Amino acid sequence: MTLLSTQGLTKSFGGLHAVRNVDFNLPEGQIRALIGPNGAGKSTFVGTVIGRLRASSGDVLFDGRSISHLPAHRRIGLGIAYTFQITSVFERLSVHENVALGVRRSGGSDTETEPRVRQALSRTGLLDRADSHAGDLSYGHQRLLEIAMGLGQNPRLFIMDEPTQGLSESEIAEFKSLIRSLAGDTTILLIEHNMNVVMETADIVTVLNFGEVLAEGSPAEIRADRLVQDAYFGTVSGA
């Protein structure tokens, strides 16, 4: 079953089409990677999906229902969680409190909060840091905390924008293991530049270029695609 789809999605800034007429279908339970050169329109596409940007035209559908008219917080309530390119934890709050905010943000009741927080922290390896201030965590652990905040929402769709940016090799390896462990529990849309992460975690890869879908297929098909090679590979690390 298709969980997320876009139909003719377009976002313009003045005369510039950052996203142009994109048709996109993401089945429930899949790990999908969205890649493309800098300026390809990836973050703009995600911004229209999560409701931080209003599409110029086209439609966003979630579970078969148009959500284009809904603000971002209403989309969260439907089961869409996301992390940003830049860390956005609450540094003065504890790790536990950060995740609890995510649970409550999704409408979780008081009785649900504690078990959901503990489960999210356990899955991300942060349970022993629950009482630490978020601002005292390393950058890599702050990125993991953002993922824990998303997992605490029990999302049906989890969108991660450049989650491995700034991580060490060992932290990236841990992230790949985490993504694999989430397979089947939630649908994942991964916007990522590290091609090793993409090739080792994604079921299907969608390539954007100049705001349009250039190619789509399995990791092996994408790596062998001549158009993708010309437009993208060789211009990013890890390719």
Side-chain angles (χ1 to χ4, degrees):
M1 183 190 78
T2 298
L3 182 64
L4 173 73
S5 64
T6 67
Q7 298 174 349
L9 193 67
T10 298
K11 177 61 181 176
S12 301
F13 298 96
L16 173 65
H17 291 291
V19 173
R20 185 196 299 267
N21 198 34
V22 171
D23 293 332
F24 178 86
N25 293 286
L26 177 58
E28 190 167 22
Q30 189 179 90
I31 299 175
R32 176 74 63 90
L34 181 66
I35 69 172
N38 290 329
K42 302 183 298 297
S43 291
T44 300
F45 174 79
V46 168
T48 60
V49 167
I50 65 178
R52 291 178 64 87
L53 296 172
R54 182 175 292 275
S56 301
S57 61
D59 203 4
V60 179
L61 297 96
F62 186 70
D63 202 12
R65 167 190 174 188
S66 175
I67 60 171
S68 296
H69 61 291
L70 296 179
H73 72 274
R74 292 280 303 280
R75 302 187 195 196
I76 290 172
L78 294 176
I80 300 176
Y82 50 86
T83 65
F84 296 106
Q85 241 177 308
I86 301 172
T87 54
S88 56
V89 300
F90 299 96
E91 295 187 353
R92 295 186 179 182
L93 298 182
S94 71
V95 168
H96 182 285
E97 289 168 329
N98 268 269
V99 180
L101 283 174
V103 173
R104 297 187 188 104
R105 190 183 188 191
S106 65
S109 66
D110 291 341
T111 56
E112 292 177 308
T113 298
E114 185 60 27
R116 283 168 61 174
V117 169
R118 291 186 63 83
Q119 182 182 40
L121 291 178
S122 179
R123 296 199 76 166
T124 52
L126 294 175
L127 190 57
D128 61 345
R129 293 176 170 85
D131 296 326
S132 301
H133 282 95
D136 294 335
L137 297 180
S138 68
Y139 180 81
H141 283 128
Q142 287 188 10
R143 299 296 280 181
L144 284 175
L145 175 55
E146 286 186 304
I147 294 173
M149 292 166 69
L151 290 177
Q153 298 174 39
N154 282 346
R156 296 185 63 193
L157 171 63
F158 199 168
I159 302 174
M160 305 181 197
D161 195 353
E162 301 289 355
T164 67
Q165 182 174 282
L167 299 189
S168 67
E169 288 301 317
S170 62
E171 290 169 335
I172 289 174
E174 291 173 0
F175 173 80
K176 288 188 288 189
S177 296
L178 173 61
I179 292 299
R180 294 189 197 103
S181 76
L182 295 175
D185 291 344
T186 184
T187 304
I188 295 174
L189 178 57
L190 187 66
I191 297 85
E192 183 56 66
H193 267 108
N194 186 312
M195 294 310 299
N196 289 327
V197 173
V198 170
M199 295 298 164
E200 293 178 26
T201 60
D203 299 315
I204 297 293
V205 181
T206 299
V207 185
L208 285 184
N209 194 34
F210 296 112
E212 299 180 327
V213 175
L214 176 66
E216 193 167 85
S218 69
E221 289 170 335
I222 291 301
R223 184 175 285 281
D225 190 294
R226 178 66 64 182
L227 290 176
V228 176
Q229 290 176 6
D230 291 344
Y232 189 49
F233 290 121
T235 66
V236 292
S237 62

